[in-house]
Amino acid sequence: MNYNTKQRELILNCLMENSDKHLNAFEIMELLKVKKINVGQATIYRTLEKLIKENIIIKYITKDNSACYQYIADDNCVMHNHLICSECGELIHIKGKYLDRLSEHIQNEYGFLIDKFRTVFYGKCKSCGGQTK
């Protein structure tokens, strides 16, 4: 049974208002504090875990093994993969026909369906020494 608490609503609204960003729990708490809203860190973590299970937000693991979260604004966020720079932690959304072909190949060859909702490729971004075209 799902029910909405005031804290859940406030946390979700914060993520929705910042859907273009990847926020960690501390940043969410600070954004709420700016609005004179006090929500405990434990409540934020519990709420985030519930929102993940409900496929309302996405959780990413950064280079320092910490977590950041993003509201799924629409189905477009589900339909792409992600790149995370192992140096600076930049998260980049990517999609394209080649990734679709890779997913199709893996499914056909190995019977494994890739969850684009959670697929992350790690490497180096351009700024940190990744190669350009």
Side-chain angles (χ1 to χ4, degrees):
M1 176 172 93
N2 288 334
Y3 61 93
N4 288 327
T5 64
K6 186 65 175 169
Q7 289 90 355
R8 173 193 163 97
E9 184 180 326
L10 293 167
I11 294 165
L12 182 55
N13 285 340
C14 179
L15 288 162
M16 290 170 72
E17 290 167 3
N18 294 281
S19 64
D20 60 328
K21 299 180 181 111
H22 307 96
L23 303 171
N24 63 37
F26 180 77
E27 291 168 327
I28 293 168
M29 189 169 62
E30 291 300 308
L31 286 168
L32 292 171
K33 280 183 183 178
V34 168
K35 293 183 173 188
K36 308 275 191 262
I37 300 168
N38 290 315
V39 178
Q41 196 168 13
T43 300
I44 291 173
Y45 279 112
R46 279 193 306 271
T47 302
L48 291 171
E49 289 306 315
K50 288 177 184 175
L51 294 172
I52 292 165
K53 287 179 183 173
E54 296 168 17
N55 290 324
I56 296 172
I57 65 171
I58 299 173
K59 177 180 181 179
Y60 301 101
I61 303 299
T62 62
K63 73 172 188 158
D64 62 355
N65 244 6
S66 62
C68 62
Y69 306 87
Q70 183 181 23
Y71 173 71
I72 303 170
D74 54 37
D75 287 342
N76 289 333
C77 197
V78 176
M79 297 311 296
H80 65 253
N81 301 99
H82 305 88
L83 305 175
I84 293 183
C85 179
S86 55
E87 295 293 317
C88 71
E90 179 182 8
L91 188 134
I92 304 164
H93 297 262
I94 59 168
K95 61 181 175 179
K97 64 183 177 182
Y98 297 110
L99 289 170
D100 293 338
R101 284 191 216 157
L102 175 63
S103 295
E104 186 178 312
H105 168 73
I106 290 171
Q107 185 174 2
N108 291 338
E109 189 71 22
Y110 302 98
F112 189 87
L113 181 61
I114 291 179
D115 182 353
K116 291 183 184 182
F117 186 67
R118 297 181 185 182
T119 304
V120 179
F121 296 97
Y122 292 87
K124 289 186 181 180
C125 69
K126 290 179 189 175
S127 299
C128 293
Q131 297 297 316
T132 59
K133 285 186 172 182

